[in-house]
Amino acid sequence: MNMLITPEEVIRLSFRESEYLRSTTVLEADIIAATDRFITPIIGQTMVEQLSLGDYRELMSDYIAPALAASVRLLIQPLLNIRTEEAGATSPRTDSTQQAPQSAMLALHNSLKQRARQLLKRVSDHLNKNADRYPEYDPKSNILNRCSINGGFVQTF
């Protein structure tokens, strides 16, 4: 299966210009994991395969790519906050910078989670409103049509 987006696209779509990262920071495995965890339960495996073949370019660029990039960042951000070296886990630090306080890292994580959720909901809403345009999409299989988390409560329907 082809990846839906590249590491370069993840960086372009989910990081600001001032947040410099090399494209090698994002692994193909990160994109695959985010696709399997966040995108496939919404759009289904058949739709993922169609997108990986290059179908539905507008859906991909306007809806799926931003949601997937945000989901990848949500997964990898904790890995960016620490480094694993021969001596074990360390915090990145230079003479001119220091690690953000735990409260700031938690706030960042919560912000990234909210952004990813909103973009995933946007994908779901678009597909539900335009299901006739996407024959591979099955609204009954969309997890967001059966379960949501609102105010910390899990709701199923």
Side-chain angles (χ1 to χ4, degrees):
M1 175 180 97
N2 296 329
M3 288 188 311
L4 297 181
I5 59 177
T6 65
E8 293 80 12
E9 288 172 301
V10 170
I11 291 169
R12 182 177 57 79
L13 292 170
S14 65
F15 292 87
R16 289 174 171 64
E17 257 184 55
S18 60
E19 298 175 299
Y20 174 75
L21 286 137
R22 293 185 311 263
S23 62
T24 56
T25 303
V26 178
L27 304 177
E28 289 183 5
D30 299 326
I31 297 169
I32 292 167
T35 301
D36 290 347
R37 180 173 176 189
F38 296 103
I39 300 297
T40 304
I42 295 171
I43 70 173
Q45 186 61 41
T46 303
M47 190 80 161
V48 169
E49 290 167 8
Q50 288 303 120
L51 289 169
S52 72
L53 294 173
D55 292 349
Y56 306 120
R57 290 181 195 272
E58 186 177 323
L59 172 68
M60 187 65 215
S61 65
D62 294 351
Y63 294 91
I64 304 293
L68 180 53
S71 299
V72 171
R73 179 161 183 185
L74 179 62
L75 286 181
I76 69 168
Q77 186 64 50
L79 301 172
L80 299 175
N81 295 342
I82 63 168
R83 300 283 184 264
T84 303
E85 300 170 350
E86 290 176 7
T90 61
S91 298
R93 186 178 188 161
T94 67
D95 291 337
S96 61
T97 63
Q98 64 182 21
Q99 183 179 10
Q102 185 66 29
S103 60
M105 286 195 284
L106 181 60
L108 173 62
H109 177 77
N110 288 336
S111 176
L112 294 173
K113 185 168 38 171
Q114 289 301 320
R115 180 172 35 169
R117 277 188 186 156
Q118 187 57 42
L119 290 169
L120 292 166
K121 183 168 179 358
R122 184 172 175 261
V123 169
S124 177
D125 290 348
H126 174 77
L127 288 172
N128 287 332
K129 289 176 188 169
N130 300 283
D132 57 319
R133 292 174 49 192
Y134 309 106
E136 299 84 1
Y137 173 66
D138 179 8
K140 291 181 226 154
S141 297
N142 179 343
I143 191 69
L144 296 183
N145 291 339
R146 296 180 280 130
C147 179
S148 68
I149 300 173
N150 297 307
F153 295 98
V154 177
Q155 298 174 320
T156 59
F157 22 89

